Amino acid sequence: MPMIDVYAAADLFPVGTDRELGEQLTLAILRAEGVATPAPFHLNNTAAYIHRMEPSAVQTAATASARTVRVQIVTPPGALTREGQKQLVKEVTEIVTQVSGDPSQASRTWVILTEAAEGGWGLLGTAFGREEFAALAAKARAAQ
């Protein structure tokens, strides 16, 4: 199950939009992974963490209060194809831009895709790799 971290100045997204942002990003990653109909297991375990930081904590060489957003998505090994990566970066950028209400936000939104190492993903007390994820996916499909 993917994990999503959004880092942004506390005032970049309107108050009350964290749920919208988290839900949209979660569904975008599931689509990019090819999960057309997410089961409760997917929906309950794909998490988005919204890190609202003091505006002065987000800086560039040009300004002490940058409007840059960093979205880091960690996926299990092999979860995204190259097309899935492209789709995800596009959708994440569109979501961040839409929720921020600033059409120029796309040029300041960085999406970092990180693939966990084989066996470097833990859930249910198990270090998951391709074999364990395949078994978990087969179990989820059988339950549907």
Side-chain angles (χ1 to χ4, degrees):
M1 301 300 109
M3 293 289 131
I4 305 160
D5 286 279
V6 179
Y7 299 89
D11 60 352
L12 190 128
F13 298 111
V15 173
T17 59
D18 287 1
R19 176 67 186 133
E20 176 186 2
L21 184 63
E23 183 177 22
Q24 286 190 38
L25 292 173
T26 298
L27 294 174
I29 182 64
L30 291 172
R31 281 190 299 273
E33 286 187 337
V35 180
T37 309
F41 185 79
H42 294 104
L43 298 173
N44 290 328
N45 287 292
T46 302
Y49 300 86
I50 313 299
H51 306 275
R52 288 179 176 259
M53 302 178 297
E54 288 296 320
S56 63
V58 183
Q59 300 195 13
T60 65
T63 182
S65 294
R67 306 306 281 170
T68 302
V69 174
R70 175 182 168 202
V71 181
Q72 182 166 11
I73 301 170
V74 182
T75 59
L80 292 172
T81 64
R82 181 66 180 127
E83 285 308 308
Q85 292 171 338
K86 290 177 182 180
Q87 172 189 329
L88 183 57
V89 170
K90 182 179 185 294
E91 280 194 59
V92 166
T93 303
E94 289 170 351
I95 291 165
V96 167
T97 300
Q98 181 267 321
V99 174
S100 75
D102 179 357
S104 70
Q105 186 59 50
S107 67
R108 296 182 310 279
T109 299
W110 289 90
V111 181
I112 302 162
L113 303 178
T114 305
E115 187 175 281
E118 177 66 19
W121 195 265
L123 181 65
L124 300 168
T126 300
F128 276 71
R130 286 185 175 96
E131 182 180 319
E132 291 84 4
F133 273 112
L136 189 61
K139 183 178 177 182
R141 280 191 301 274
Q144 290 177 334

